[in-house]
């Protein structure tokens, strides 16, 4: 189990943090398989250690979240995707807590995490000083992250979050591990320097702030010291932090630019809009939230007029959970984690020695990671969710070790067997179809979107669309509940009319069928209504199409894309061309860089 878990952690982290569904097609089933193996051992072995009580604290949230997705979420396919993320975190935590009993397997897993951190740092150095465009798996780094290290993740803040978990333990061994071997302390000192340099290269303001606060809190956890000593050490740590921060500001041009921009903008410019949207959605449904996975779609209700970014998540995991799952979800999810941590700390807080020192260092790393969740969506990155689960489980085990093995009762054997069956069913029946369909859909949709971002030849567009139509058709066969795949299929049918104009009407019919399947699964997605409107226009059903575009605008009144679709629709009928010009102007007011709207406005003005 340790070998499989270590391999899965390394594989998922190095493959862009598990962000791509192609990675999760293998990663999630492997996690499920390890959990099934762990439960199967409890059925067959004569004696097994008792299950750790902390392993049960996330189960109520998983049950509630599943019910929330099934009964409340207006976008179930996205809700199940979000639930699988939480399920992967909980499964990894359970495996690490109850499955890695011996010291050797634990060292293998934790050593793998340490090595992955070093490898990620080497990748970050290569990105920063050799090739700013380089990313894993043939991807190209976003120009917005040039000059910053992101390692295997593609997002600098994600690399910073990984280093936050690892740095305090390395510092503790190097500085406080007086009873440990000199070799261990020397290696730990080297790791601490590497991780600290990595944090500096990410230029992640949220991570650096989280680390500073966590390190300042560290002396307060030291047992047996008077408050004067603790206050003095907090002041020393704060002073050193300010000195290092000033050195980073003066010595690294990129850091100076980022912090100057923070001052010039009087804080963040984009995150507050996303945070406010999440808060407004929470106020809409404070108890249960608006439904798992719904944030990015329902954000359109509260999108600021000139905010053009696609949030996907709220860039604050606490607010995102509050928006999706309400107060009940936050209390069951984060409250369960805090309860488990509190009981573990109560059991081992007064201990001294090397083991207790390492436990305090791990807690500081977890605390820093928890603070960084205020600024980003780290728990939505599968690799980071798995690694924080491993670190949290090891911290709890260090303070609350498992008891001695005992013969399991028949009831316990039966429950372990039932649990293994449930995990296997969820893995094969829910996770695998979801990730397979997304793997088929995601890459081809990116390819289509890429056509719109560059001047592509008709032949290139034709090749992309042939692949896309086939992939989308397979995706909806693998997972008919994926509404986005149906919408993408409608999109591909509509685009194909450029290559077969004589079949525009029939292609419009096929596009309409796919769009209506998407809308049957979710009627709150503006894009789906736009797809239906385009399909109806292709069939000459202009009035019906207008209703569809109107519904899209009702759901997303500040969406430049929805206004563009309406403008194009109105341009097809002579008497409404004046309204089309108004709609195109509104689109450009919301997004001055919308090239298609600008071209349409010139065409309507008689200047093609």
């Amino acid at each position: 189990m340790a070998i499989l878990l270590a391999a899965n952690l390394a594989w998922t982290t190095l493959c862009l943090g598990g962000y791509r569904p192609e990675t999760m097609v293998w990663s999630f089933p492997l996690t499920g398989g390890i959990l099934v193996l762990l439960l199967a051992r409890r059925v067959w072995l004569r004696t097994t250690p008792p299950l750790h009580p902390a392993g049960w604290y996330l189960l109520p949230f998983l049950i509630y979240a599943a019910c929330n997705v099934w009964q409340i979420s207006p976008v179930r396919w996205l809700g199940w995707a979000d639930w699988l993320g939480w399920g992967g975190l909980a499964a990894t935590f359970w495996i690490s807590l109850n499955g890695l009993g011996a010291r050797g397997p634990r060292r293998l897993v934790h050593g793998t995490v340490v090595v992955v951190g070093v490898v990620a740092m080497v990748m970050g150095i290569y990105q920063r000083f050799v090739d700013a465009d380089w990313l894993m798996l043939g991807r190209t780094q976003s120009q917005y992250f040039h000059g910053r290290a992101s390692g295997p993740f593609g997002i600098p803040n994600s690399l910073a979050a990984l280093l936050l978990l690892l740095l305090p333990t390395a510092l503790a061994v190097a500085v406080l591990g007086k009873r440990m071997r000199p070799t261990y302390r020397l290696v730990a000192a080297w790791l601490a320097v590497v991780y600290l340099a990595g944090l500096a290269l990410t230029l992640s303001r949220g991570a650096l702030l989280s680390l500073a606060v966590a390190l300042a809190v560290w002396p307060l956890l030291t047992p047996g010291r008077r408050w004067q000593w603790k206050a003095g050490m907090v002041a020393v740590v704060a002073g050193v932090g300010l000195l290092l921060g000033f050195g980073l500001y003066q010595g690294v041009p990129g850091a100076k630019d980022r912090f100057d921009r923070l001052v010039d903008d009087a804080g963040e410019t984009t995150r507050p809009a996303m945070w406010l949207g999440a808060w407004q959605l929470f106020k809409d449904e404070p108890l249960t939230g608006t439904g798992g996975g719904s944030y990015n779609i329902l954000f359109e209700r509260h999108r600021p007029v000139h905010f053009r970014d696609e949030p996907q998540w709220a860039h604050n995991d606490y607010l995102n959970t509050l928006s999706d799952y309400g107060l009940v979800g936050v209390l069951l999810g984060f409250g369960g984690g805090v309860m488990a941590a509190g009981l573990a700390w109560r059991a081992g807080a007064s201990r001294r020695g090397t083991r207790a020192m390492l436990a305090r260092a791990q807690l500081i790393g977890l605390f820093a990671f928890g603070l960084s969740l205020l600024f980003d969506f780290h728990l939505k990155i599968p690799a980071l969710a798995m690694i924080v689960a491993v670190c949290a489980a090891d911290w709890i085990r260090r303070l609350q070790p498992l008891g001695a093995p005992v013969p399991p009762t028949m009831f316990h054997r039966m429950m372990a067997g039932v649990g293994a069956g449930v995990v296997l069913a969820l893995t094969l029946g829910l996770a695998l179809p979801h990730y397979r369909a997304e793997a088929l859909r995601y890459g081809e949709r990116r390819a289509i979107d890429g056509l719109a971002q560059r001047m592509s030849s008709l032949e290139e567009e034709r090749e992309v669309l042939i692949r896309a139509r086939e992939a989308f058709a397979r995706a909806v066969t693998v997972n008919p509940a994926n509404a986005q795949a149906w919408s993408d299929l409608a999109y591909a049918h509509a685009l194909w009319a450029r290559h077969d104009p004589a079949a525009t009407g029939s292609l419009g019919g096929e596009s309409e069928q796919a769009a209506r399947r998407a809308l049957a699964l979710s009627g709150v997605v503006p894009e789906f209504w736009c797809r239906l409107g385009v399909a109806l226009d292709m069939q000459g059903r202009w009035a019906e199409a207008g209703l569809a575009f109107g519904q899209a605008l009702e759901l997303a009144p500040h969406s430049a894309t929805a206004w563009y679709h309406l403008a194009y629709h109105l341009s097809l009928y002579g008497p409404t061309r004046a309204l089309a010009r108004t709609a195109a102007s509104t689109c450009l007011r919301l997004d001055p860089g919308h090239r298609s709207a600008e071209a349409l406005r010139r065409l309507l003005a008689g200047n093609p």
Side-chain angles (χ1 to χ4, degrees):
M1 287 190 294
I3 292 172
L4 291 175
L5 180 58
N8 200 14
L9 286 171
W11 155 263
T12 306
T13 304
L14 296 178
C15 291
L16 296 174
Y19 185 81
R20 299 196 322 164
E22 295 93 329
T23 301
M24 297 309 295
V25 166
W26 299 96
S27 178
F28 195 97
L30 184 54
T31 301
I34 299 170
L35 185 54
V36 169
L37 179 60
L38 173 60
L39 292 168
R41 288 176 70 245
R42 305 192 69 82
V43 175
W44 298 110
L45 293 183
R46 294 183 177 181
T47 60
T48 58
L51 294 174
H52 201 290
W56 300 106
Y57 286 105
L58 289 178
L59 184 59
F61 171 75
L62 290 179
I63 295 174
Y64 164 76
C67 295
N68 182 288
V69 171
W70 184 255
Q71 294 295 327
I72 297 174
S73 177
V75 284
R76 285 185 185 174
W77 80 100
L78 294 176
W80 287 123
D82 190 68
W83 187 88
L84 289 171
W86 290 106
L89 185 155
T92 305
F93 178 73
W94 218 80
I95 293 165
S96 302
L97 192 65
N98 295 299
L100 305 180
R103 180 178 298 178
R106 288 202 305 273
R107 285 184 172 178
L108 172 63
V109 172
H110 302 143
T112 299
V113 173
V114 170
V115 171
V116 164
V118 174
V119 172
M121 182 54 210
V122 171
M123 293 178 177
I125 292 174
Y126 181 80
Q127 292 164 331
R128 177 63 181 82
F129 298 106
V130 180
D131 186 356
D133 289 325
W134 181 84
L135 270 183
M136 289 289 293
L137 306 179
R139 294 294 183 95
T140 301
Q141 178 64 286
S142 168
Q143 61 177 345
Y144 299 109
F145 294 144
H146 282 182
R148 301 175 62 190
S150 63
F153 294 98
I155 303 174
N157 292 349
S158 297
L159 174 59
L162 172 62
L163 299 178
L164 285 179
L165 287 169
L166 304 179
L167 177 59
T169 303
L171 283 173
V173 174
V175 178
L176 304 176
K178 298 179 180 179
R179 298 182 181 179
M180 304 184 75
R181 296 178 182 178
T183 305
Y184 289 171
R185 298 187 67 184
L186 184 61
V187 172
W190 178 78
L191 288 172
V193 171
V194 169
Y195 295 153
L196 194 57
L199 269 175
L201 291 179
T202 65
L203 298 179
S204 174
R205 296 170 301 199
L208 291 171
L209 178 61
S210 300
L211 178 65
V213 173
L215 292 180
V217 169
W218 198 343
L220 301 178
L221 303 180
T222 306
R225 295 285 188 174
R226 301 180 65 180
W227 69 266
Q228 294 92 336
W229 181 91
K230 294 181 178 181
M233 290 303 298
V234 169
V236 169
V237 171
V240 172
L242 287 173
L243 186 62
L244 291 175
F246 182 75
L248 183 65
Y249 177 81
Q250 291 293 334
V252 181
K256 187 176 187 305
D257 292 342
R258 282 181 59 76
F259 282 95
D260 284 348
R261 193 160 59 248
L262 186 68
V263 174
D264 294 341
D265 294 337
E268 278 282 351
T269 56
T270 57
R271 281 182 173 84
M274 294 184 279
W275 295 341
L276 181 60
W279 182 253
Q280 293 291 344
L281 289 173
F282 161 68
K283 289 171 64 177
D284 291 344
E285 297 291 343
L287 191 61
T288 61
T290 54
S294 64
Y295 167 78
N296 189 46
I297 301 300
L298 299 185
F299 175 79
E300 295 295 344
R301 296 178 182 174
H302 307 289
R303 177 184 288 275
V305 173
H306 295 294
F307 186 80
R308 299 191 296 273
D309 292 349
E310 185 74 14
Q312 190 166 9
W313 297 296
H315 287 250
N316 179 317
D317 272 323
Y318 304 111
L319 276 176
N320 210 136
T321 306
L322 196 64
S323 167
D324 283 354
Y325 300 104
L327 283 172
V328 176
V330 167
L331 291 176
L332 290 177
F334 293 108
V338 170
M339 184 180 297
L343 292 175
W345 182 250
R346 182 179 179 183
S350 60
R351 296 179 183 176
R352 299 187 182 184
T354 302
R355 188 183 186 92
M357 178 269 293
L358 291 175
R360 286 191 292 274
Q362 286 178 307
L363 177 60
I364 292 301
L366 292 167
F367 179 56
F369 183 88
L371 289 176
S372 71
L373 298 182
L374 292 168
F375 311 105
D376 268 298
F377 46 82
H378 300 316
L379 294 182
K380 306 301 183 186
I381 306 298
L384 289 178
M386 294 167 68
I387 291 173
V388 77
V390 169
C391 293
D394 185 63
W395 176 71
I396 290 176
R397 281 282 297 266
R398 197 177 292 276
L399 295 175
Q400 285 183 302
L402 289 176
V406 296
T409 65
M410 182 58 66
F411 174 77
H412 289 148
R413 292 180 188 273
M414 290 177 57
M415 292 307 296
V418 170
V422 170
V423 172
L424 189 62
L426 288 172
T427 300
L428 298 179
L430 175 63
L432 199 56
H434 168 78
Y435 289 121
R436 284 182 59 206
E438 275 298 287
L440 289 166
R441 183 199 72 81
Y442 180 73
E444 298 304 328
R445 175 58 192 265
R446 277 177 56 90
I448 289 178
D449 292 342
L451 294 174
Q453 296 170 3
R454 63 181 188 274
M455 297 297 294
S456 305
S457 66
L458 285 176
E459 186 58 33
E460 181 185 0
E461 181 180 303
R462 180 184 180 88
E463 293 177 0
V464 169
L465 290 177
I466 289 174
R467 293 196 308 269
R469 294 178 75 193
E470 180 181 353
F472 297 153
R474 290 174 59 198
V476 296
T477 301
V478 171
N479 184 14
N482 190 323
Q484 186 63 58
W486 284 108
S487 175
D488 290 347
L489 182 60
Y491 188 23
H493 286 326
L495 290 176
W496 188 250
R498 284 166 49 88
H499 302 273
D500 190 1
T504 296
S506 61
L507 287 169
E510 294 180 48
S511 183
E512 179 190 357
Q513 291 179 9
R516 291 195 184 279
R517 287 293 299 269
L519 286 167
L521 293 167
S522 177
V524 300
V525 185
E527 178 188 342
F528 297 175
W529 288 101
C530 288
R531 299 283 172 252
L532 177 61
V534 170
L536 293 172
D537 269 338
M538 293 170 67
Q539 300 173 71
R541 296 155 65 183
W542 188 85
E544 294 177 70
L547 295 176
F549 291 123
Q551 185 63 38
L553 275 175
E554 184 177 338
L555 293 169
H558 297 149
S559 168
T561 301
W563 278 102
Y564 168 72
H565 276 292
L566 178 63
Y568 188 88
H569 164 74
L570 293 172
S571 72
L572 298 176
Y573 184 49
T576 58
R577 288 199 169 186
L579 294 175
R581 287 194 291 271
T582 302
S585 297
T586 303
C587 172
L588 289 168
R589 180 172 58 85
L590 294 171
D591 182 6
H594 201 294
R595 292 182 298 178
S596 298
E598 180 60 40
L600 178 61
R601 186 169 66 173
R602 289 199 307 268
L603 185 66
L604 291 170
N607 300 309

